[in-house]
Amino acid sequence: ERTRGVTRNDYWSISCLNYILLSPSADPKATADKLKTLYKSFDGMKYDDLLLLPLSELQRSYKGDYYIVLWIFAIIALFILMMSAFNYINISIANASTRAKEIAIKKINGSSKTRLVIQFLSETIILSVIALLLAFAILKGLLPLFNAIMDTDLDLRFTNDLNLIGWMLPVTLLIGALAGL
């Protein structure tokens, strides 16, 4: 069936959500059956699907552009993380160049180049690990607020998600080592 020159199963068709308010005494299953029969009676809609669910479950059940938006936000978050890592490396390099007096005094007192490299590497790696622990503490503190706003039940248990620690710790050590170099 064509509506304003566009067929319903064309790539240009528009899909939308319809909302209905049921009275508290209404049976959702019976209403869904009646709506499906009515929906299928229209000529152009016999192949379309109808899904009736509570509004509270819509966010979890609707598979529209929701996942695309999540992927976009994940990519943006990754870019922000990369920018902050490069910024941290840049600040560490700038800070190391201001410590020229300290390096000169240590060299005069007989410190070797490898000892200085180990000192700078260990300082930046320790700072990176402290920053990671601080980030997890902030996340643990703000998670109840996030759960209340988003009406979810996320939890952060390190014993349950060893995969998270398995990639966060090496990334933190790598960023600390790059900043120390």
Side-chain angles (χ1 to χ4, degrees):
E1 178 175 321
R2 297 184 75 73
T3 308
R4 293 186 190 165
V6 178
T7 58
R8 287 210 31 93
N9 292 325
D10 197 359
Y11 288 110
W12 295 101
S13 66
I14 298 171
S15 121
C16 62
L17 300 176
N18 295 310
Y19 300 94
I20 57 172
L21 179 64
L22 298 178
S23 67
S25 62
D27 180 25
K29 177 128 176 66
T31 306
D33 291 339
K34 288 178 186 177
L35 283 174
K36 284 181 184 179
T37 306
L38 176 70
Y39 199 72
K40 299 292 181 183
S41 69
F42 291 106
D43 200 20
M45 299 183 181
K46 57 184 169 189
Y47 298 112
D48 291 345
D49 286 330
L50 176 70
L51 175 66
L52 187 65
L53 53 99
L55 193 60
S56 61
E57 294 180 17
L58 179 68
Q59 180 180 1
R60 295 183 189 112
S61 299
Y62 181 63
K63 307 247 190 288
D65 295 334
Y66 184 67
Y67 291 108
I68 295 171
V69 171
L70 283 178
W71 275 106
I72 290 171
F73 282 145
I75 290 170
I76 290 171
L78 184 65
F79 281 131
I80 290 172
L81 182 65
M82 288 173 47
M83 286 182 356
S84 62
F86 286 126
N87 189 30
Y88 173 69
I89 291 169
N90 190 23
I91 289 172
S92 295
I93 290 170
N95 188 27
S97 65
T98 60
R99 296 171 70 178
K101 281 185 184 178
E102 176 189 350
I103 294 170
I105 290 172
K106 286 187 177 190
K107 289 292 267 182
I108 289 171
N109 287 332
S111 183
S112 66
K113 181 180 177 180
T114 53
R115 206 177 234 181
L116 289 173
V117 168
I118 290 172
Q119 175 192 344
F120 284 124
L121 279 174
S122 61
E123 283 177 6
T124 56
I125 289 173
I126 289 171
L127 280 175
S128 294
V129 170
I130 290 172
L132 177 70
L133 294 175
L134 185 63
F136 278 130
I138 291 171
L139 178 66
K140 190 78 167 167
L142 292 178
L143 197 57
L145 177 66
F146 178 79
N147 284 337
I149 291 171
M150 297 302 291
D151 192 27
T152 60
D153 191 24
L154 298 176
D155 63 343
L156 185 65
R157 293 187 191 149
F158 299 113
T159 56
N160 292 348
D161 201 4
L162 294 177
N163 190 21
L164 178 71
I165 295 171
W167 71 267
M168 285 297 285
L169 193 59
V171 167
T172 303
L173 295 176
L174 178 68
I175 289 172
L178 287 174
L181 289 175

